Amino acid sequence: MDIKDYRVTGGAKVNLESFSTRADKSIEKDDIRNKLMPQNIEKMAELQEKLYAENQHALLIVLQAMDAAGKDGVIRHVMSGLNPQGTQVVSFKVPSSEENDHDYLWRINKALPRRGEIGIFNRSHYEDVLVTRVHDLVKTSQIPPELVTDSIWDTRYRQIRDFEKYLTENGTKVIKIFLHVSKEEQRQRLLDRINEPDKNWKFSSGDIQERRHWNQYMSAYEQMLENTGTKDAPWFVVPADNKWFARYLVSEIVLEALREIDPRIPELPESEKAKLEECRRILQEDA
Ligand code: ATP
Ligand code: MG
């Protein structure tokens, strides 16, 4: 499996119908469960420790998807082996009145991972070119009306590209994952949430409303992918109808990003090494 097959780096038209929502058939589910996934989790943990120790780079993982595509499961599984101390998950909901009093990147900025950390965004600034676009929420927002023109979405794509470039140029690597679920699979999962009492809490009637706008969402996603996938901050369209496959592919993507960062455990300067020798002597003599 090559993660490049799922990568979108911009410059070309994106048609989501040409991206599969199903697992790569050449990969065995049992192999992933029993061998490949546990191996990846171990490797991620090793690299995370180095990232934390080095304390220079950060990794930001943006997760976007339609409802019931499996964002929560991806976060739970992929992050299961990581040290919570160096990881933070932030979920972005309908903006609060305080958030609406600011530009749309304000809350995003506040939630960015620190150096040494892995930050996961469960939804993100991309909601502002997705749900906001599908429902034309800019019209009723506090943005000055003269700024709400036909080109507002192109303007936002440019702002987002610039913002992510800025982050990259300051040591935060950005990768973006779109969990690509089919409309039929979403229907099944929403039905399961109704039919299985243990899943009732996950069901929201709002999800049925959003589903009615499926085609508009797909079109907004396509334009988002086309306009904000870049070489430095690429999108990955992850087939999400098979949860085990989506989770594994995300682990491969995160692992590759950490390898590209290539964090190193810092080596002490000579003066500090001399101090260590001194401390060793004190401890040894203290027996
Ligand atoms: P779950 O899988 O638990 O349903 P979720 O991410 O869908 O997770 P919810 O609390 O159900 O969480 O939904 C959050 C809602 O907030 C989504 O419908 C999303 O579109 C909306 N939202 C997020 N950001 C914005 C924004 N900037 N403007 C308007 N709506 C937003
Ligand atoms: Mg929801």
Side-chain angles (χ1 to χ4, degrees), residues 88-105:
Q88 53 151 338
V89 182
V90 187
S91 300
F92 292 97
K93 309 281 182 182
V94 176
S96 66
S97 68
E98 191 191 20
E99 287 168 348
N100 275 326
D101 272 339
H102 294 269
D103 64 274
Y104 69 96
L105 291 177

Side-chain angles (χ1 to χ4, degrees), residues 44-45 47-61 78-90 111-121 254 258 261:
M44 274 191 282
L47 285 163
Q48 183 203 15
E49 192 178 319
K50 290 184 183 166
L51 186 80
Y52 190 76
E54 183 192 61
N55 204 18
Q56 291 177 354
H57 299 87
L59 175 62
L60 174 63
I61 304 162
V78 173
M79 300 307 140
S80 59
L82 299 183
N83 180 352
Q85 184 138 263
T87 321
Q88 53 151 338
V89 182
V90 187
L112 290 170
R114 295 160 196 245
R115 298 190 194 283
E117 280 185 358
I118 298 178
I120 302 156
F121 282 179
V254 172
L258 286 167
I261 293 176

Side-chain angles (χ1 to χ4, degrees), residues 66-68 71 93 123 193 202 204 206-207:
M66 296 296 282
D67 290 301
K71 286 186 279 114
K93 309 281 182 182
R123 302 186 186 273
R193 290 179 179 188
K202 285 194 197 172
S204 149
D207 295 354

Side-chain angles (χ1 to χ4, degrees), residues 6 20-27 239-242 244-246:
Y6 304 92
S20 174
T21 57
R22 310 206 53 85
D24 175 343
K25 289 208 177 61
S26 67
I27 292 190
D241 282 359
N242 307 93
W244 56 271
F245 181 76

